[in-house]
Amino acid sequence: MNDLSYLYMEKLVAVAKANYPRVQSFNHRIEIAKSNVASQKLSWLDPIGFSYVARSNRNTVDIIDPAILTGYQFGISINPGSFLRKPGAIKAAKEELKISLLEQKEYELQLESEVKRRYLIYLQSLNNLRLQTKMVMDAESVFKDLRIRYEKNEITFQEYTNASMSISSAYQGKISAETALISAKTSLEELLVKKLEEIK
């Protein structure tokens, strides 16, 4: 295929990777996974609790609230189970980040392959349309010649009918080729999220 340009194909892949919504979705998932790793690393202080109580300085004994100690009282509580679970939670968050990165890489490979495949189908459809257009022009030329010869009674009605059917078949082939080209172009543009004419 003379129209095949590997440089243009790589440009199409780059445009698809930059614009396709699912690629952007993977980028957001990776950002969420990075945020989870950072928040798990910062949550080491979650198992530690700090509290204080303020008691008034009264010299009388109260039967309802018999407090012996007065003033400010401070307390620290530690949950050892949370401390023991924290390294596992950090490791799980890091593994989720790795999975997100690998899923993004896998999808980018699939997207690249699909863009290339659709680009080749587009080129095939374009070349097929050129061939069908040439066939229509040839069929029109033959038909015009045979029509003149038929009007002069140089050929039979059967030969004229065959030429007429041949040109009709050529037109139908061209219409099918045009439809296939438009379909292939639309299919490729779906992944690019841009018109093909916008990409030079």
Side-chain angles (χ1 to χ4, degrees), residues 139-169:
E140 285 175 343
S141 176
V142 169
F143 181 71
K144 286 177 186 176
D145 182 49
L146 290 178
R147 184 174 60 194
I148 292 169
R149 289 178 62 197
Y150 175 71
E151 290 171 356
K152 293 179 181 178
N153 288 329
E154 295 176 358
I155 61 168
T156 65
F157 180 71
Q158 183 63 37
E159 290 173 311
Y160 177 75
T161 304
N162 288 343
S164 177
M165 289 173 42
S166 175
I167 196 168
S168 295
S169 177

Side-chain angles (χ1 to χ4, degrees), residues 81-128:
S82 294
F83 266 123
L84 296 175
R85 285 192 302 266
K86 193 54 60 185
I90 292 173
K91 185 176 181 179
K94 287 180 180 179
E95 292 300 317
E96 286 177 13
L97 175 60
K98 288 178 187 176
I99 289 169
S100 296
L101 289 168
L102 291 172
E103 285 176 345
Q104 181 188 36
K105 187 174 183 178
E106 176 190 14
Y107 184 72
E108 284 180 352
L109 290 172
Q110 289 175 353
L111 181 64
E112 180 177 346
S113 173
E114 188 64 19
V115 168
K116 289 178 179 180
R117 187 182 70 77
R118 291 185 188 188
Y119 176 63
L120 292 174
I121 290 172
Y122 169 74
L123 289 180
Q124 179 186 16
S125 301
L126 184 64
N127 286 326
N128 187 32

